[in-house]
Amino acid sequence: MSRQGRPQDTRKVSGELFSLTYGALVAQLVRDYEKDEEVNQQLDKMGYNIGVRLIEDFFARSQQGRCHDFAQAADVLTKVGFKMFLGVVPTVANWSAKGDEFSLILDQNPLVDFVELPETHQGLLYSNIICGVIRGALEMVQLEVKVWFVQDQLRGSDSTEIRVKFLKKLEDAVPAGED
Amino acid sequence: MSVTTVQAETSQCLFEFLHMEIVSQLQQEAGPDKKGEVQQRLESLGHRVGESLVERTSRDHPRFKNELDAVVFMCKQFWVTAFNKNIDNLKTNHQDTYVLHDNAFRLLQHLSEGNQYREEAQTYLSFACGLLTGALSNVGIKCQVTAEVTKMPACTFQVKVLL
């Protein structure tokens, strides 16, 4: 019976509200949709909407400047972005030869703290919302990317790996007649 | 700000965005004019989360002396874990009703302060109602919780204990 280290505890637990709520959401989606693929898609969509808004918050808190290349963007994404919101720093690895594709390796994923996948839902990408968030947030800084899960600890792999592929640089669209 | 408060703040904002998305997802799914259904689903989602969250928060807490003690716990530690702040005021008729005032409820803070969206704002309280029923039921208190927006972003939660 000790109450020492309260601040640390609160921090841990306050992140738990997020993980628990996320878990309840996924469980609900699994009940609502028939196919795991549909759930994955829905999670990605919700993540995208979150990412689009989250980027503002990110800039407000980080005072981060402009990135000069994709490698630097990857660095900021992991060391600043992931650290800020999820409290973990994934490793950037497996760069493609062209330098337009990399993997994020997560040793620890706070979203899955309380999760076990049932046998019947092996197609479910539980943390797929992360892909959506990355896609949404990067789109707001003019980077169009494709993000997908390569492997997931929940599905028996050794580590969790998310692949990010650079598609193109979006130009600022100027509304017609504003030129 | 220390590292811990920053971390609590960011996970709080992540939660707020997630909650917003859940509301809009449920609304799209239910279609227009199905506010009741959306609120009910949010409440049951919250109930489930509240049940587990209270187990985590009350782990090191001594056994509750009585009902009031448990409600006070919800207003303090539990609310802080969930929303990073205390309930501002607690009133009770010493029978079966508790009224919890939150003067700046987190999930209302992204909404406009005028009265225009007051009806909509009601939906943003359902999840927290569920959190409370879930948490209280897990410490042995069966109750009904209703919520009301008083003046944006303030609101009250009325807990009615069922015998």
Side-chain angles (χ1 to χ4, degrees):
Chain A
M1 170 66 242
S2 97
R3 290 216 214 174
Q4 265 92 53
R6 220 348 103 83
Q8 189 97 42
D9 282 350
T10 342
R11 180 188 71 156
K12 182 122 202 322
V13 182
S14 65
E16 283 170 7
L17 174 69
F18 176 73
S19 330
L20 289 170
T21 310
Y22 183 66
L25 165 74
V26 177
Q28 164 127 30
L29 290 175
V30 166
R31 276 198 300 275
D32 289 353
Y33 293 94
E34 274 171 24
K35 294 204 188 95
D36 286 347
E37 288 73 42
E38 288 173 303
V39 178
N40 296 344
Q41 214 178 1
Q42 186 65 32
L43 288 173
D44 183 76
K45 200 179 101 195
M46 294 177 85
Y48 174 82
N49 293 338
I50 293 175
V52 165
R53 296 194 189 109
L54 202 63
I55 192 80
E56 299 262 335
D57 216 84
F58 169 79
F59 282 123
R61 286 176 208 275
S62 68
Q63 279 117 32
Q64 178 67 44
R66 183 176 284 272
C67 290
H68 296 288
D69 54 21
F70 199 46
Q72 197 188 353
D75 217 44
V76 172
L77 174 71
T78 50
K79 293 197 184 121
V80 191
F82 266 77
K83 187 167 195 303
M84 183 186 293
F85 291 105
L86 288 180
V88 294
V89 181
T91 323
V92 180
N94 304 343
W95 278 95
S96 65
K98 268 168 69 193
D100 63 345
E101 229 183 292
F102 64 88
S103 291
L104 299 169
I105 315 275
L106 283 124
D107 300 323
Q108 226 191 340
N109 179 358
L111 287 186
V112 300
D113 276 349
F114 314 103
V115 185
E116 216 172 278
L117 275 194
E119 295 272 323
T120 46
H121 289 288
Q122 289 302 317
L124 182 70
L125 295 168
Y126 182 86
S127 313
N128 213 27
I129 199 161
I130 299 182
C131 296
V133 174
I134 298 176
R135 190 165 58 89
L138 289 184
E139 190 174 308
M140 290 294 110
V141 291
Q142 274 87 37
L143 288 174
E144 191 177 322
V145 291
K146 192 177 162 207
V147 190
W148 70 97
F149 261 90
V150 180
Q151 47 177 350
D152 190 347
Q153 267 166 348
L154 275 186
R155 304 206 284 179
S157 310
D158 295 334
S159 61
T160 300
E161 180 178 351
I162 299 171
R163 194 85 180 145
V164 183
K165 183 180 167 57
F166 172 79
L167 295 179
K168 65 171 186 220
K169 194 162 170 257
L170 299 164
E171 299 299 328
D172 275 329
V174 183
E178 294 257 323
D179 223 350
Chain B
M1 263 198 291
S2 73
V3 179
T4 49
T5 49
V6 170
Q7 182 70 39
E9 272 292 314
T10 52
S11 58
Q12 182 64 228
C13 102
L14 210 53
F15 167 74
E16 281 164 34
F17 286 133
L18 180 68
H19 178 263
M20 257 192 253
E21 269 312 301
I22 294 176
V23 172
S24 90
Q25 199 258 345
L26 288 175
Q27 277 169 344
Q28 275 168 24
E29 217 169 81
D33 303 323
K34 288 276 180 62
K35 224 164 80 184
E37 195 182 308
V38 172
Q39 288 177 357
Q40 207 186 349
R41 295 192 75 172
L42 278 169
E43 210 175 311
S44 72
L45 214 60
H47 187 94
R48 189 177 159 156
V49 174
E51 270 180 340
S52 353
L53 195 63
V54 78
E55 277 180 16
R56 316 283 303 175
T57 26
S58 65
R59 196 175 45 191
D60 297 331
H61 196 276
R63 178 181 283 271
F64 296 117
K65 290 194 284 287
N66 50 36
E67 202 176 273
L68 180 65
D69 193 29
V71 176
V72 168
F73 174 82
M74 299 307 160
C75 296
K76 290 185 175 160
Q77 281 97 319
F78 184 73
W79 215 251
V80 170
T81 344
F83 300 113
N84 240 350
K85 71 183 286 295
N86 282 321
I87 282 284
D88 297 292
N89 192 352
L90 168 67
K91 291 203 172 86
T92 172
N93 66 354
H94 293 289
Q95 283 175 25
D96 59 354
T97 308
Y98 300 87
V99 182
L100 286 59
H101 294 263
D102 191 329
N103 295 337
F105 184 52
R106 288 300 294 236
L107 296 177
L108 290 181
Q109 284 180 2
H110 287 285
L111 303 181
S112 148
E113 287 211 349
N115 275 332
Q116 189 186 358
Y117 297 109
R118 207 158 151 171
E119 285 280 297
E120 306 296 319
Q122 192 68 35
T123 306
Y124 284 77
L125 304 180
S126 303
F127 184 83
C129 289
L131 271 187
L132 280 172
T133 56
L136 283 165
S137 84
N138 215 2
V139 298
I141 300 171
K142 269 205 165 2
C143 61
Q144 248 175 4
V145 179
T146 49
E148 206 184 336
V149 181
T150 39
K151 183 177 178 305
M152 295 287 279
C155 64
T156 60
F157 296 92
Q158 184 169 358
V159 178
K160 194 163 180 350
V161 178
L162 306 171
L163 296 171

